[in-house]
C-alpha cells in the first residue's frame, strides 16, 4: 500500500481537479444555452466518475483466502465471487455518498444530517491515516450500497508493537436477506485483518448475535467478555438513568458482549 503522504497528496490533487471541473460546469450552465450544455454535462459526469477514489487498495480483497475461514457458505461465495454478477465487494469510495452509504448506516444507528463536505472530509481523514478499512457490497444494477462493515486498526506498544483489529458498523440492507451477505461482509473484513498482520480481531455484539459470530470463528473470552461505555453525547441525568436501566434490564437487551478472534493462526486453519 502507498505511504500516507502519497495518499494525502494524491487525494488533494483529485479534490482540486473535481472542484475546478465543478466551477467550470457552473460557469457553462450560467452562460450557455440548454442545447449547448448537454454534451458538456455528459463529459463532466464521465470525468467525475473517473476521479473516484478508494479508501484503500481494492486488490488486497482479491488476495483473501476464504477457505481459511471456519464460516460455512452454501453455496460457496467470496469477496471475488459474491454469488451474483451484479454484486461487488470493494472498499468504500468517496463517491458512495451518492450510492446510499449513509442511508444504509441509518438502518444500524443514528447517522445525522451529514453533508457531502463532511463526508468527503471524514473520508480524506480516514484515508490519510491508513488505519480505516471500510468495506462495502454494491448492487451495481442500482448503484446502491447494500452491505458494509468497518475494520479499524489499533497500533499497540504491546505484543512487540503489534496491531489489533476492531470490527465495527456491520450492516446489510434488510431487503437482501438470504444471500449470505452478513456472513460475507464479516468474513471479508476478518480475513482482511489477518492479511494486514493483526494479532487479533475484536467486536462488540448483542447477546442474540453471539451464535452468528461464533460460526465465523469468534469466541467469548471467559471472565473477559464485558462491554462498558461512557456516553459523552448524553446529558448527565440521562446518562445516569441509562446506567440504572442497564442494571435493571436483562443482559440480552441492555448490554453488548465482547467477542474475539484470538489468535488468527489458531482460528483460521487451512
Amino acid at each position: 500500500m502507498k505511504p500516507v503522504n502519497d495518499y494525502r497528496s494524491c487525494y488533494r490533487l483529485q479534490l482540486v481537479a473535481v472542484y475546478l471541473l465543478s466551477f467550470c460546469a457552473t460557469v457553462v450552465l450560467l452562460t450557455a444555452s440548454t442545447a449547448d450544455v448537454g454534451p458538456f454535462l455528459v463529459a463532466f459526469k464521465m470525468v467525475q466518475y473517473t476521479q473516484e477514489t478508494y479508501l484503500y487498495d481494492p486488490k488486497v480483497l482479491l488476495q483473501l483466502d476464504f477457505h481459511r475461514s471456519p464460516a460455512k457458505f452454501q453455496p460457496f461465495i467470496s469477496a471475488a465471487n459474491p454469488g451474483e454478477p451484479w454484486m461487488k465487494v470493494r472498499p468504500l469510495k468517496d463517491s458512495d455518498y451518492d450510492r446510499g452509504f449513509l442511508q444504509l448506516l441509518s438502518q444500524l444507528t443514528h447517522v445525522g444530517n451529514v453533508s457531502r463536505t463532511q463526508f468527503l472530509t471524514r473520508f480524506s481523514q480516514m484515508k490519510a491515516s491508513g488505519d480505516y478499512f471500510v468495506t462495502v457490497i454494491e448492487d451495481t444494477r442500482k448503484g446502491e450500497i447494500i452491505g458494509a462493515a468497518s475494520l479499524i486498526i489499533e497500533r499497540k506498544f504491546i505484543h512487540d508493537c503489534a496491531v489489533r483489529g476492531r470490527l465495527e458498523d456491520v450492516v446489510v440492507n434488510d431487503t437482501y436477506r438470504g444471500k449470505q451477505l452478513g456472513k460475507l461482509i464479516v468474513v471479508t473484513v476478518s480475513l482482511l485483518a489477518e492479511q494486514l498482520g493483526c494479532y487479533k480481531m475484536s467486536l462488540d455484539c448483542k447477546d442474540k448475535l453471539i451464535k452468528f459470530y461464533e460460526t465465523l470463528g469468534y469466541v467469548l473470552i471467559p471472565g473477559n467478555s464485558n462491554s462498558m461505555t461512557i456516553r459523552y453525547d448524553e446529558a448527565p441525568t440521562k446518562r445516569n438513568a441509562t446506567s440504572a436501566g442497564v442494571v435493571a434490564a436483562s443482559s440480552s437487551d441492555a448490554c453488548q458482549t465482547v467477542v474475539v478472534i484470538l489468535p488468527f493462526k489458531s482460528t483460521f486453519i487451512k
Side-chain angles (χ1 to χ4, degrees), residues 247-259:
V247 174
S250 66
S251 60
S252 60
D253 295 329
C255 66
Q256 294 180 319
T257 304
V258 178
V259 190

Side-chain angles (χ1 to χ4, degrees), residues 88-92 96 101 134-138 145 147-149 185:
K88 185 174 183 179
V89 181
R90 59 169 176 78
L92 182 72
D96 285 336
F101 174 67
V134 183
T135 306
V136 301
I137 304 174
E138 180 185 359
I145 304 302
I185 195 68

Side-chain angles (χ1 to χ4, degrees), residues 104-105 107-108 146-149 169-173 185:
L104 177 67
L105 289 182
Q107 295 185 20
L108 177 67
I146 60 175
D169 302 337
V170 179
V171 60
V172 173
N173 191 310
I185 195 68

Side-chain angles (χ1 to χ4, degrees), residues 171-197:
V171 60
V172 173
N173 191 310
D174 292 339
T175 62
Y176 289 83
R177 291 178 179 175
K179 294 187 178 296
Q180 309 182 95
L181 299 189
K183 190 184 301 184
L184 175 61
I185 195 68
V186 172
V187 171
T188 297
V189 294
S190 300
L191 290 171
L192 179 58
E194 182 188 22
Q195 181 77 12
L196 295 173

Side-chain angles (χ1 to χ4, degrees), residues 157-178:
F157 286 108
I158 61 174
H159 297 289
D160 298 317
C161 289
V163 291
R164 168 188 177 176
R166 294 196 65 89
L167 177 63
E168 299 279 355
D169 302 337
V170 179
V171 60
V172 173
N173 191 310
D174 292 339
T175 62
Y176 289 83
R177 291 178 179 175

Side-chain angles (χ1 to χ4, degrees), residues 237-252:
T237 54
K238 183 178 180 181
R239 189 186 308 159
N240 293 335
T242 302
S243 300
V246 169
V247 174
S250 66
S251 60
S252 60

Side-chain angles (χ1 to χ4, degrees), residues 11 15 19 53-56 92-95 97 101-102 105 111 114-134 150 152 169:
Y11 189 68
L15 283 179
Y19 290 151
T53 301
Y54 286 109
L55 186 61
Y56 64 91
L92 182 72
K93 292 181 180 180
D94 56 356
S95 54
Y97 182 89
F101 174 67
L102 297 179
L105 289 182
V111 174
V114 179
S115 69
R116 184 185 301 274
T117 299
Q118 289 175 309
F119 178 86
L120 292 175
T121 299
R122 182 49 47 89
F123 183 95
S124 179
Q125 292 168 344
M126 288 181 169
K127 186 174 180 66
S129 77
D131 293 331
Y132 290 85
F133 298 83
V134 183
S150 298
I152 296 100
D169 302 337

Side-chain angles (χ1 to χ4, degrees), residues 194-253:
E194 182 188 22
Q195 181 77 12
L196 295 173
C198 295
Y199 76 94
K200 73 176 180 180
M201 177 81 149
S202 304
L203 63 88
D204 295 342
C205 74
K206 295 182 178 179
D207 287 359
K208 64 182 180 180
L209 294 175
I210 291 176
K211 293 296 183 182
F212 168 73
Y213 284 108
E214 286 180 336
T215 65
L216 307 183
Y218 288 84
V219 296
L220 291 171
I221 304 300
N224 190 29
S225 297
N226 300 302
S227 176
M228 302 182 69
T229 305
I230 293 180
R231 294 297 298 264
Y232 296 108
D233 57 349
E234 295 178 352
T237 54
K238 183 178 180 181
R239 189 186 308 159
N240 293 335
T242 302
S243 300
V246 169
V247 174
S250 66
S251 60
S252 60
D253 295 329

